[in-house]
Amino acid sequence: LKHLSGGFSNVVGFSSAGTHIGIKSTDKDFAVLFSDTVCTTAAVYTSNQIQGAPLLLTKQHLANNNAQAIVVNSGIANVATGEQGVKNAAQTAELLAAELNIKVDDVIVASTGVIGPQLPMEKIAAGITGIKAQLGTNEDFAEAIWTTDTRKKEICVSAHGFTIAGCAKGSGMISPNMATMLSFIATDAAIAEQELSEVLQACVGTSFNMMSVDMDTSTSDMVVVMANGRVPAETQQFREVLEYVCQELAKMVARDGEGATKLIVSEARGAYSQADARKVARSIVTSNLVKTAIYGNDPNWGRLIMALGNSGAEKIDQAAIQIWINQNLIVDAGAAAPDYDSEKLSAILAANEVVTITIDLHQGTENATAYGCDMSEEYVKINAEYTT
Amino acid sequence: LKHLSGGFSNVVGFSSAGTHIGIKSTDKDFAVLFSDTVCTTAAVYTSNQIQGAPLLLTKQHLANNNAQAIVVNSGIANVATGEQGVKNAAQTAELLAAELNIKVDDVIVASTGVIGPQLPMEKIAAGITGIKAQLGTNEDFAEAIWTTDTRKKEICVSAHGFTIAGCAKGSGMISPNMATMLSFIATDAAIAEQELSEVLQACVGTSFNMMSVDMDTSTSDMVVVMANGRVPAETQQFREVLEYVCQELAKMVARDGEGATKLIVSEARGAYSQADARKVARSIVTSNLVKTAIYGNDPNWGRLIMALGNSGAEKIDQAAIQIWINQNLIVDAGAAAPDYDSEKLSAILAANEVVTITIDLHQGTENATAYGCDMSEEYVKINAEYTT
């Protein structure tokens, strides 16, 4: 596995651009990814019952598992916008298809930002005019899809002859329940439709669906992978690399959670079932009380016990539980470990930007890992001031 | 229905005391409620799979639905304390039974505070010695059970000839899933065991179980009602008054949520089923993004749409949704109401300590109400600094 710097431009046949079209006051807010051939494409969508107009349109366009371009705006989510919102999403696809000379239903449309307002279609139209000439001139796609993000979430790896490049946006409304943010992935690997879809589902299950910033699953989010098929690929090898890409992106999204100062990696081991392992791992990264304790460099293992007790896992025996923070045993047999030293642990937490919490339930052999972040005053500040 | 000032002393046959025994540095941390006769008693316990030693002991002692005293300490939860914790809870009951000259299994034991440390049994023993003489000399029970609480949560009402007095502690680790804090209720009403238990379950279902501060269900919490049977009571009338008491206490707990500046009352109407109504009402008060928006006086209805879309309710039709904030229509037919004025709404939010969010799903006739609070930077501060 080899890491490459940069993004989509590493994958032969793809080009992209990110630009500012005036939806946001100054930041980049418009991005296009283009493939010079029609790609086998799979997607996973939000589980929120309220879904944005762009997402509904994209589902229609991907009914045939083909796509050739992705257009994304940030700043306005085009959610809860009624018939006009549906028309605006469709018009965006039509304008881009005309600009790029491709089929309308090969365009994927995504929007992220404030719920409610209509898209400024004159700005969208002006932004699309001439975008073809900008493709490949910059690597700003990953930044142009930001809302409250502060770090670029981009990865590109090559292995077994094929290359996978992906990026994501995150920050808020991030919770583990299907495709909980925007992520766009391009590859030159040749993977059949059915397999691409199955592999993406599986990889999302161990990455984005195991990540939480705030338990609030957005109405707009999706993960898309486009495969142009230039390089023969063995499905299992492709799956392993795609899983790695998705997990790394999920970690980047969690680390850049709104107001976050630390990445939390929660490992559940020895669970009775895979469902139990996933519930316990997630329970740690979704607890406000755990998240605030980690922010305070407080090895408050009582909150870890509380959180896993709330996980809904089928088999938990308090007397069997062991917990480590960054490889230091802090809970043994369900109570404080004999040599537990809260001051030492607090110093370890303060010194590390990545906090790994490992829980062994001793109820079986199933394992799962979840990704999250701490919660700071800044999280509240960002979200108390977001639209006003 | 008549409100009485004061607490348990209004109910003939009950006396109580709250005092400082040195578990906390200066605040009151020890409370006893005593009935001069054995009471029919019912309780509801936390749904957390990890449960504290006091709770396990209380379950045993209440197997016969009888109790005569409640002893509570704050500061240390006696959870995840192994065999020693179990012994300490039992010893607390024994010491109090001896002091009050009652049966050990008529003593209810509750603890709240930090998870992990052992109770200081010498302080507990010293505190119990002579407590009998203090009973009835003060009304500090409701304050002595505080952890991070800042307001006394106490209510006493009389109706139909009987009296119900209750208090609660809350503040953190509060989430709707069975008995999510400590609440102790005393009445002189005569209610049979089975009925008392059923009525309490029902009342908790529409009060404490519909309240959330932070989705983190504690390991220690319980609601107990003791009825000494002096006054004949009709069950349905008793149920109505007890429900009122529980709902008022739930509102007080929510309003005093850690760092809270506002009470949020979330009313779901027109739901397809009672389950849907409860899910939708709860989804509003459990969303961090809704809570932070309310804190910021931001009528961010997009987050309300997002939250109810995540509720898990069976029947939601976005195009039918109406939402009001404090009786002002803000969402109609699933989009911004025609005369929605965010500045006016923001001023209304700023001017009101109680924010009522009313959602009509137009899918049926079922209604439910949930109680919560906003989320401020102070919530993070309190929980980042709680033990360190």
Side-chain angles (χ1 to χ4, degrees):
Chain A
L1 193 84
K2 188 180 157 199
H3 279 256
L4 305 177
S5 66
F8 294 125
S9 64
N10 289 301
V11 190
V12 175
F14 286 92
S15 56
S16 69
T19 184
H20 172 72
I21 66 167
I23 303 175
K24 298 196 233 172
S25 55
T26 54
D27 293 339
K28 290 198 171 61
D29 50 19
F30 195 70
V32 172
L33 172 65
F34 174 64
S35 164
D36 60 14
T37 56
V38 173
C39 291
T40 301
T41 305
V44 178
Y45 308 97
T46 183
S47 62
N48 196 304
Q49 287 177 274
I50 307 291
Q51 304 193 333
L55 195 143
L56 298 173
L57 183 81
T58 293
K59 281 185 177 175
Q60 289 170 22
H61 286 189
L62 279 182
N64 64 358
N65 298 310
N66 282 337
Q68 197 169 352
I70 298 175
V71 54
V72 192
N73 75 273
S74 56
I76 290 179
N78 193 7
V79 172
T81 45
E83 279 306 307
Q84 188 61 46
V86 172
K87 282 181 197 160
N88 289 347
Q91 196 192 344
T92 303
E94 286 156 18
L95 290 167
L96 190 74
E99 168 76 13
L100 300 179
N101 196 24
I102 62 176
K103 284 165 63 184
V104 173
D105 71 359
D106 283 342
V107 177
I108 291 170
V109 180
S111 300
T112 178
V114 181
I115 294 174
Q118 297 293 347
L119 286 174
M121 288 311 296
E122 63 300 340
K123 289 178 181 172
I124 299 274
I128 287 173
T129 303
I131 195 81
K132 189 172 186 179
Q134 292 183 53
L135 292 171
T137 63
N138 66 56
E139 284 272 33
D140 294 340
F141 184 103
E143 194 178 323
I145 63 177
W146 286 8
T147 50
T148 52
D149 304 64
T150 66
R151 295 170 176 223
K152 202 162 182 174
K153 290 168 274 292
E154 185 176 68
I155 184 172
C156 185
V157 296
S158 71
H160 314 294
F162 60 82
T163 302
I164 303 180
C167 67
K169 75 149 291 264
S171 232
M173 281 203 196
I174 306 291
S175 179
N177 251 321
M178 294 282 294
T180 55
M181 21 102 277
L182 295 178
S183 180
F184 305 105
I185 299 165
T187 181
D188 51 13
I191 302 286
E193 279 177 23
Q194 175 78 12
E195 277 151 4
L196 188 65
S197 179
E198 287 169 6
V199 165
L200 180 64
Q201 286 279 355
C203 292
V204 167
T206 59
S207 57
F208 300 119
N209 278 359
M210 291 301 280
M211 171 191 66
S212 175
V213 170
D214 54 16
M215 287 292 287
D216 284 316
T217 305
S218 166
T219 49
S220 309
D221 297 352
M222 59 175 102
V223 179
V224 180
V225 56
M226 294 173 74
N228 70 15
R230 291 183 187 223
V231 180
E234 196 275 307
T235 303
Q236 182 56 31
Q237 288 179 339
F238 178 77
R239 177 180 167 152
E240 284 166 14
V241 180
L242 184 64
E243 184 174 41
Y244 175 78
V245 165
C246 289
Q247 287 178 342
E248 289 300 303
L249 286 173
K251 280 193 240 180
M252 292 183 211
V253 172
R255 175 61 188 85
D256 194 32
E258 288 173 341
T261 73
K262 291 176 195 294
L263 171 68
I264 303 176
V265 179
S266 164
E267 303 175 330
R269 293 182 187 164
Y272 170 69
S273 64
Q274 181 60 24
D276 274 13
R278 292 172 65 89
K279 284 176 183 171
V280 167
R282 282 177 175 182
S283 72
I284 299 301
V285 296
T286 54
S287 162
N288 282 349
L289 289 175
V290 170
K291 289 154 64 77
T292 49
I294 298 297
Y295 169 63
N297 297 316
D298 177 3
N300 193 325
W301 59 266
R303 296 191 189 168
L304 301 176
I305 290 271
M306 175 281 301
L308 72 89
N310 278 331
S311 65
E314 198 183 337
K315 293 216 175 175
I316 291 178
D317 174 8
Q318 184 180 339
I321 294 168
Q322 289 183 302
I323 305 179
W324 294 257
I325 289 185
N326 287 9
Q327 280 77 58
N328 297 273
L329 185 69
I330 58 166
V331 172
D332 200 15
D339 58 350
Y340 168 69
D341 179 342
S342 70
E343 281 186 33
K344 181 185 149 204
L345 260 294
S346 185
I348 289 171
L349 286 171
N352 284 281
E353 198 181 289
V354 179
V355 175
T356 302
I357 296 165
T358 308
I359 296 167
D360 197 329
L361 296 168
H362 292 286
Q363 302 297 306
T365 56
E366 292 292 328
N367 305 326
T369 302
Y371 309 99
C373 59
D374 61 344
M375 175 186 275
S376 71
E377 293 93 344
E378 193 63 18
Y379 173 85
V380 176
K381 197 159 184 295
I382 291 168
N383 286 301
E385 294 175 358
Y386 187 49
T387 68
T388 52
Chain B
L1 193 84
K2 190 180 154 197
H3 279 257
L4 307 176
S5 66
F8 293 125
S9 63
N10 289 302
V11 190
V12 175
F14 286 92
S15 56
S16 68
T19 185
H20 172 73
I21 66 167
I23 301 175
K24 297 196 236 175
S25 55
T26 54
D27 293 340
K28 291 196 170 62
D29 50 19
F30 195 72
V32 173
L33 172 65
F34 174 64
S35 164
D36 60 13
T37 56
V38 172
C39 291
T40 301
T41 305
V44 178
Y45 307 96
T46 183
S47 62
N48 196 304
Q49 285 177 274
I50 306 292
Q51 304 193 334
L55 194 144
L56 298 173
L57 183 81
T58 293
K59 280 185 178 176
Q60 289 171 21
H61 286 189
L62 279 183
N64 64 357
N65 298 309
N66 282 336
Q68 198 169 353
I70 298 175
V71 55
V72 192
N73 76 274
S74 56
I76 289 179
N78 193 7
V79 172
T81 44
E83 279 307 307
Q84 188 61 45
V86 173
K87 282 181 196 159
N88 289 346
Q91 196 191 342
T92 303
E94 286 156 17
L95 290 166
L96 190 75
E99 168 75 13
L100 300 178
N101 196 26
I102 62 176
K103 285 165 62 185
V104 173
D105 70 0
D106 285 340
V107 177
I108 291 169
V109 180
S111 299
T112 178
V114 181
I115 294 175
Q118 297 293 346
L119 287 174
M121 288 310 296
E122 64 299 342
K123 290 179 181 173
I124 299 275
I128 287 173
T129 303
I131 195 80
K132 191 174 185 178
Q134 292 183 53
L135 292 171
T137 62
N138 67 54
E139 284 271 33
D140 294 340
F141 184 103
E143 194 178 322
I145 63 177
W146 286 7
T147 49
T148 51
D149 304 64
T150 65
R151 296 170 175 221
K152 203 163 181 173
K153 289 167 275 289
E154 185 175 68
I155 184 172
C156 184
V157 296
S158 73
H160 314 295
F162 60 82
T163 301
I164 303 181
C167 66
K169 75 150 290 269
S171 230
M173 279 202 198
I174 306 291
S175 179
N177 252 322
M178 294 283 293
T180 53
M181 19 102 279
L182 296 178
S183 179
F184 305 105
I185 299 165
T187 181
D188 51 13
I191 303 287
E193 280 177 22
Q194 175 80 12
E195 278 152 3
L196 188 65
S197 177
E198 288 169 6
V199 165
L200 181 64
Q201 284 280 353
C203 292
V204 167
T206 58
S207 58
F208 299 118
N209 277 359
M210 290 301 281
M211 172 192 65
S212 175
V213 170
D214 55 15
M215 288 292 288
D216 284 317
T217 305
S218 165
T219 49
S220 307
D221 297 351
M222 60 174 101
V223 179
V224 180
V225 56
M226 294 174 72
N228 70 13
R230 291 183 187 223
V231 181
E234 196 275 308
T235 302
Q236 182 55 30
Q237 288 179 338
F238 177 77
R239 176 179 167 152
E240 284 166 14
V241 181
L242 183 64
E243 184 175 41
Y244 175 78
V245 165
C246 289
Q247 287 177 342
E248 290 300 304
L249 287 172
K251 281 193 240 180
M252 293 182 211
V253 171
R255 175 62 189 84
D256 195 30
E258 287 171 342
T261 72
K262 294 178 193 293
L263 170 68
I264 302 176
V265 178
S266 163
E267 304 174 331
R269 293 182 186 164
Y272 171 69
S273 65
Q274 182 60 24
D276 274 13
R278 293 170 65 87
K279 284 176 184 173
V280 167
R282 283 176 175 182
S283 72
I284 300 301
V285 296
T286 55
S287 162
N288 282 349
L289 289 175
V290 170
K291 290 154 63 77
T292 48
I294 299 295
Y295 169 62
N297 296 315
D298 177 4
N300 193 324
W301 58 267
R303 295 191 189 167
L304 302 176
I305 290 270
M306 175 282 300
L308 71 88
N310 277 331
S311 65
E314 197 181 339
K315 292 217 177 175
I316 291 178
D317 174 9
Q318 183 182 339
I321 295 168
Q322 289 183 300
I323 305 179
W324 294 258
I325 289 185
N326 286 9
Q327 281 78 57
N328 297 274
L329 184 69
I330 57 166
V331 172
D332 199 16
D339 59 349
Y340 169 70
D341 178 341
S342 70
E343 282 186 30
K344 181 186 148 202
L345 260 295
S346 185
I348 290 171
L349 287 171
N352 284 281
E353 198 181 288
V354 179
V355 175
T356 302
I357 296 164
T358 308
I359 296 167
D360 197 330
L361 295 168
H362 292 286
Q363 301 297 307
T365 58
E366 292 293 327
N367 304 326
T369 303
Y371 309 100
C373 59
D374 61 344
M375 175 184 274
S376 71
E377 293 94 343
E378 193 63 19
Y379 172 84
V380 175
K381 197 160 185 296
I382 290 167
N383 284 302
E385 294 174 358
Y386 186 48
T387 67
T388 50

